[in-house]
Amino acid sequence: MKDTLTLFVLKWLGHCPLSVGRALGSVVGWLMWHSRGRARRVTLENLTLCWPELSDTERDQLARRSLKETGKTAAEAAAVWQNSPQWLMQKIVEVEGARYLQEGLESGRGVLVLAPHLGNWEVVGSFLATQAPTTALYQPPRQPALDALIYEGRRRSNMALAPTNRRGVGQLLKALKRREIVGILPDQVPEPGNGGEVAPFFGQPALTMTLVHNLIQRTGCTVVSVFAERVPAGFKVVIRPADEGIYRDTVVESVTALNRSVEECVRRAPAQYQWEYKRFRRLPADYPQRYR
């Protein structure tokens, strides 16, 4: 029943004007704050760790804004999945740093895009697919009906989807060797045994994927960071070169630079980052254990 209701709401939101979806998403975020549930607790804990210079009042204000922005992201994603790429391109009102993506494509080495959980990452994937053939990792949700909605929505934008296993990594390698775009959410905590290294993120130890480092070493690809910032008229796509340290041969240096690249993006629009995600989990036993 819950899954059916969720699917119905998402389909309905997908056909609402963007402004209506954002307003309803903001209400959802307001409810998440006032319900004092998991999302609020994790958001406050992450902000306490990552922004210790904020006062309690400033931290609460940022947390409330963040939860409202997360609610907007969900509503917008429903619209992105169910509308055409042409509809989305009309909602992208500005592209900052387009030359970094173009230079990467012209280098003939393939472009690896770091798309953190900032702004609306569904917009990023669809935008990239309009620039060049794009392959992205895809981990299906547990609900089959929701999986079908997301999968078809992403395929509608002409993205190739790679599973989060060895076969999927092979697809990413082939795409980069074909001088195409590969998109990865770099701030996801890797599953045990899937390649992770502890590196600082906002000054805190965080288990960080080594997949990006491995792809760079095997293909010599160019790496850029991309996020779609929510602005009043739609979205502003921001493209930035990754921290130069990401190309280092040493794994720790490379993943540390990956986290610095994500941090640079987050500092541009901190309220639009998904702070309720448990970024500091799955650390080895000799590190602090969060979210108890």
Side-chain angles (χ1 to χ4, degrees):
M1 186 66 180
K2 180 181 177 182
D3 293 347
T4 301
L5 180 60
T6 299
L7 188 63
F8 172 80
V9 171
L10 287 173
K11 286 186 174 181
W12 179 76
L13 284 171
H15 298 290
C16 288
L18 194 61
S19 58
V20 174
R22 285 180 172 180
L24 293 173
S26 184
V27 171
V28 171
W30 182 88
L31 292 172
M32 285 194 290
W33 172 261
H34 287 281
S35 67
R36 298 180 177 271
R38 186 205 65 83
R40 170 172 167 158
R41 291 196 302 271
V42 174
T43 297
L44 286 172
E45 183 168 355
N46 282 337
L47 290 176
T48 299
L49 292 170
C50 297
W51 298 82
E53 67 273 21
L54 296 180
S55 67
D56 290 345
T57 300
E58 291 171 329
R59 192 174 298 117
D60 283 356
Q61 290 174 345
L62 180 54
R64 285 197 298 269
R65 290 169 55 204
S66 174
L67 290 174
K68 288 182 178 180
E69 296 297 326
T70 294
K72 294 176 186 178
T73 299
E76 293 166 349
V80 173
W81 295 330
Q82 295 175 81
N83 283 287
S84 67
Q86 292 74 24
W87 173 89
L88 178 61
M89 292 305 293
Q90 293 176 352
K91 302 299 181 184
I92 296 176
V93 297
E94 183 182 354
V95 178
E96 177 187 320
R99 69 183 181 90
Y100 298 116
L101 180 61
Q102 190 59 38
E103 289 170 358
L105 290 170
E106 292 174 353
S107 72
R109 295 177 294 164
V111 179
L112 179 56
V113 170
L114 309 178
H117 290 84
L118 176 65
N120 196 313
W121 48 96
E122 295 293 341
V123 172
V124 172
S126 296
F127 165 78
L128 293 173
T130 67
Q131 308 302 301
T134 299
T135 302
L137 280 179
Y138 176 64
Q139 185 171 8
R142 295 177 182 176
Q143 303 95 323
L146 182 58
D147 175 29
L149 178 67
I150 298 174
Y151 186 85
E152 290 305 318
R154 292 181 178 177
R155 288 298 300 267
R156 186 179 292 114
S157 65
N158 296 318
M159 266 194 300
L161 301 178
T164 53
N165 54 30
R166 184 171 296 181
R167 182 168 64 86
V169 173
Q171 284 182 239
L172 302 185
L173 285 167
K174 290 177 181 177
L176 289 172
K177 290 176 180 178
R178 290 194 301 265
R179 305 174 183 179
E180 297 175 357
I181 295 174
V182 161
I184 288 179
L185 295 167
D187 47 355
Q188 286 185 313
V189 180
E191 296 283 346
N194 278 5
E197 187 75 38
V198 177
F201 180 62
F202 280 93
Q204 301 297 321
L207 189 63
T208 307
M209 64 171 63
T210 57
L211 173 60
V212 170
H213 170 75
N214 294 336
L215 291 173
I216 295 169
Q217 294 297 307
R218 295 183 66 175
T219 66
C221 60
T222 299
V223 187
V224 297
S225 303
V226 183
F227 67 95
E229 183 180 0
R230 186 173 299 107
V231 295
F235 300 96
K236 174 183 177 180
V237 173
V238 180
I239 305 169
R240 301 292 304 158
D243 187 290
E244 283 296 321
I246 204 167
Y247 300 104
R248 298 282 178 85
D249 293 337
T250 306
V251 176
V252 173
E253 290 180 306
S254 179
V255 298
T256 298
L258 183 155
N259 283 346
R260 283 199 300 267
S261 300
V262 174
E263 282 184 38
E264 181 195 359
C265 294
V266 174
R267 292 183 188 280
R268 293 280 300 265
Q272 294 191 27
Y273 190 60
Q274 194 178 15
W275 291 108
E276 75 276 11
Y277 178 62
K278 294 182 178 180
R279 181 65 185 88
F280 303 108
R281 59 188 172 132
R282 295 182 184 152
L283 286 166
D286 52 338
Y287 286 92
Q289 302 303 301
R290 308 297 185 186
Y291 317 116
R292 293 187 174 180

